[in-house]
Amino acid sequence: QGTRDHPPAQAALRDRLLAAVVACFKRHGAAAIDTPVLELREMLTGKYGEEAKLIYELQDQGGELLALRYDLTVPFARYLAMNKITNMKRYHVAKVYRRDNPATTRGRYREFYQCDFDIAGQFDPMIPDAECLKIVHEVLSDLQLGDFLIKVNDRRILNGVFAVCGVPESKFITTCSTVDKLDKMPWEEVRSEMVGEKGLSPEAADRIGEYVQLHGGLDLIERLLQDPKLSQNKLAKEGLGDMKLLFEYLTLFGITGKVRSEAEEMCLDLKNQRRHQKAVRVPSLGEEGRPRSQGNSNTQLSSVSQCRFSGGLIKCVQVVLSVHSGNLSLPRACLSLQASGEKVRATETQVLVATPQKHLLAARLKLISELWDAGIKAEMFYKKDPKLLKQLQYCEDTGIPLAAIVGEQELTDGVVKLRDVATREEVRM
């Protein structure tokens, strides 16, 4: 059905990984926002091109036509407009919904998380873009997924390529959506779709292929700026100029070795360092753009420029979850899980309050209440007279590091026996 259950251990690992991502966002000065899962249908329609057919529309039951949010970008633009905000750096992690044909083996779901980071406002060219890429680099390095490569492009360059290759302007958008599939299929299949489904001439498709299969860094940008055709196209020249500036800033950040310019939409390659460098591709890490203003004064989208990346970091987290589940042969990338064999804990319980004899429920309740009041994360069995062995086994199974044991002798002496579950060492306190 295109949705998933997340068992406790997997949810805990996801939360730990996302905490590292959010920590990076906060380090760069971003504030968190939250928006409703429902939007007015008119707010979402007309914003996604061919993808609009994937919007979940809801029947009119309360006087308004609504839809489930398709992404976190349009709701953010609406938030900026409604609150008359012209400058904001924000992040948002939440679920979005697509009325898509699910393909869970390829990571396509109808309900999934997106992780957005936006710098909205009027700034000098490419400075916020460079910071966004720096953040992506920091997060991927922190997740320790192995070797990675971030691929970027400027849609103006691609549109310029279409123009000089003879593609009618009316077919720019549909041709662009086909080129974006280069991260999923070889050029031969992309070319076939261009000609067979999008109606391009074989000659135009071949000319496009000469450009979109190029890749490189600053050297490629400078070479394309000297291209006799592209250099005469105003849109492509502007895009190439900004990309050159971007790579100059990335050089100052020291991350150009992990960033490459390509025709396809911004994406990420994760290379398996253990099995012949097999690549796992995580597409659509982001884009920079300006949402269009539409609708009335209460619902129009903000026209404030936004530099953002979206979605892909959650996909990276999903890769890590797959790694932990043994579904992918990538290095285990779990931040604090680097120690071999360490289990993922579903809770953060610090101590289990246990008793070794019968009729000591009152002692357990009193002690655990004192621990809770002191801010200590604690648990206990919900049986009157549990066996001590089962209580200690529960600690081992769930990763609880300490057991506070209170028996008859401890009550008499006015102490508590604290047991280190891993080492089995005990002290009386």
Side-chain angles (χ1 to χ4, degrees):
Q1 61 179 7
T3 58
R4 294 177 292 177
D5 293 319
H6 295 276
Q10 191 179 82
L13 176 56
R14 181 197 64 207
D15 290 347
R16 291 170 70 173
L17 294 168
L18 286 178
V21 174
V22 169
C24 180
F25 293 164
K26 291 181 176 179
R27 186 164 64 244
H28 284 261
I33 70 165
D34 193 14
T35 59
V37 70
L38 299 175
E39 293 282 350
L40 291 173
R41 190 175 68 182
E42 67 182 68
M43 183 64 62
L44 302 183
T45 54
K47 310 300 191 302
Y48 302 105
E50 292 181 346
E51 302 300 314
K53 63 181 181 292
L54 302 182
I55 294 174
Y56 267 114
E57 297 183 5
L58 305 180
Q59 292 184 349
D60 179 12
Q61 292 183 326
E64 294 178 317
L65 298 177
L66 303 175
L68 297 178
R69 63 187 174 203
Y70 179 87
D71 62 13
L72 302 178
T73 303
V74 170
F76 178 51
R78 189 259 312 150
Y79 172 84
L80 293 176
M82 291 183 66
N83 293 279
K84 296 180 174 57
I85 297 172
T86 59
N87 191 311
M88 186 178 191
K89 186 185 293 186
R90 81 82 158 97
Y91 70 90
H92 190 186
V93 180
K95 287 183 177 180
V96 298
Y97 300 86
R98 306 279 171 92
R99 194 180 61 185
D100 202 353
N101 292 323
T104 54
T105 57
R106 293 189 290 114
R108 294 179 67 90
Y109 293 91
R110 289 173 174 156
E111 177 191 66
F112 55 93
Y113 280 94
Q114 277 197 345
C115 179
D116 277 24
F117 176 93
D118 285 77
I119 302 175
Q122 300 297 329
F123 308 101
D124 286 337
M126 310 316 291
I127 298 176
D129 305 72
E131 182 176 2
C132 280
L133 289 173
K134 172 65 173 172
I135 293 170
V136 173
H137 184 277
E138 288 179 12
V139 169
L140 296 176
S141 298
D142 289 344
L143 292 180
Q144 298 183 10
L145 292 170
D147 195 16
F148 62 86
L149 180 66
I150 304 167
K151 300 179 181 180
V152 299
N153 83 342
D154 188 307
R155 197 48 60 94
R156 293 172 296 176
I157 302 174
L158 198 54
N159 286 346
V161 167
F162 294 157
V164 301
C165 291
V167 178
E169 189 172 348
S170 61
K171 293 186 177 181
F172 276 16
I173 295 178
T174 57
T175 305
C176 202
S177 65
T178 301
V179 171
D180 281 344
K181 295 179 182 178
L182 277 171
D183 73 316
K184 304 180 183 72
M185 60 177 68
W187 162 248
E188 291 75 16
E189 294 181 24
V190 171
R191 181 188 183 279
S192 178
E193 181 176 313
M194 284 183 179
V195 176
E197 298 181 24
K198 302 303 172 66
L200 295 187
S201 68
E203 295 77 17
D206 289 337
R207 286 194 291 268
I208 292 172
E210 294 175 5
Y211 285 104
V212 300
Q213 296 182 86
L214 297 173
H215 54 79
L218 187 57
D219 58 334
L220 174 62
I221 302 300
E222 292 177 338
R223 178 151 54 99
L224 291 177
L225 280 168
Q226 302 302 316
D227 184 279
K229 294 180 180 179
L230 279 183
S231 61
Q232 300 304 311
N233 182 274
K234 182 175 181 295
L235 206 58
K237 191 172 182 179
E238 290 176 355
L240 287 167
D242 279 350
M243 284 288 280
K244 181 179 180 181
L245 189 60
L246 173 66
F247 272 86
E248 289 173 357
Y249 294 151
L250 296 179
T251 300
L252 296 174
F253 283 151
I255 63 172
T256 50
K258 295 294 185 181
V259 183
R260 190 170 75 183
S261 176
E262 289 203 358
E264 63 192 67
E265 191 172 338
M266 181 175 166
C267 65
L268 164 71
D269 270 359
L270 302 175
K271 294 181 180 178
N272 184 345
Q273 295 179 328
R274 295 182 178 179
R275 293 190 180 179
H276 312 297
Q277 295 295 312
K278 180 180 179 182
V280 177
R281 301 177 67 81
V282 182
S284 298
L285 269 179
E287 60 181 337
E288 185 275 334
R290 180 192 294 269
R292 294 175 294 173
S293 296
Q294 296 193 13
N296 58 43
S297 59
N298 292 324
T299 60
Q300 71 177 11
L301 300 185
S302 170
S303 60
V304 175
S305 293
Q306 296 176 35
C307 175
R308 67 181 184 272
F309 55 78
S310 169
L313 292 179
I314 283 291
K315 294 178 184 178
C316 294
V317 172
Q318 290 171 355
V319 169
V320 177
L321 295 177
S322 297
V323 172
H324 187 74
S325 301
N327 297 328
L328 291 175
S329 301
L330 288 167
R332 180 164 293 184
C334 300
L335 300 174
S336 58
L337 300 179
Q338 295 174 22
S340 176
E342 183 181 347
K343 293 181 179 179
V344 178
R345 293 192 57 195
T347 72
E348 298 181 7
T349 305
Q350 298 167 288
V351 59
L352 179 80
V353 176
T355 47
Q357 294 107 11
K358 295 182 178 181
H359 312 304
L360 294 176
L361 175 60
R364 275 190 290 145
L365 291 173
K366 182 178 180 181
L367 177 57
I368 199 169
S369 180
E370 292 176 357
L371 293 175
W372 288 335
D373 291 344
I376 296 174
K377 300 168 184 174
E379 288 185 57
M380 58 171 275
F381 270 35
Y382 298 121
K383 286 190 174 183
K384 289 184 178 180
D385 301 311
K387 294 182 179 180
L388 181 60
L389 184 60
K390 284 190 174 181
Q391 295 172 85
L392 296 177
Q393 185 63 49
Y394 177 76
C395 290
E396 292 187 5
D397 293 342
T398 59
I400 299 175
L402 300 172
I405 303 173
V406 53
E408 294 176 352
Q409 187 62 49
E410 284 74 29
L411 287 175
T412 300
D413 297 341
V415 298
V416 173
K417 184 162 54 179
L418 193 64
R419 179 186 177 99
D420 185 309
V421 175
T423 65
R424 302 186 180 183
E425 296 179 357
E426 296 180 346
V427 294
R428 290 164 63 85
M429 303 176 66

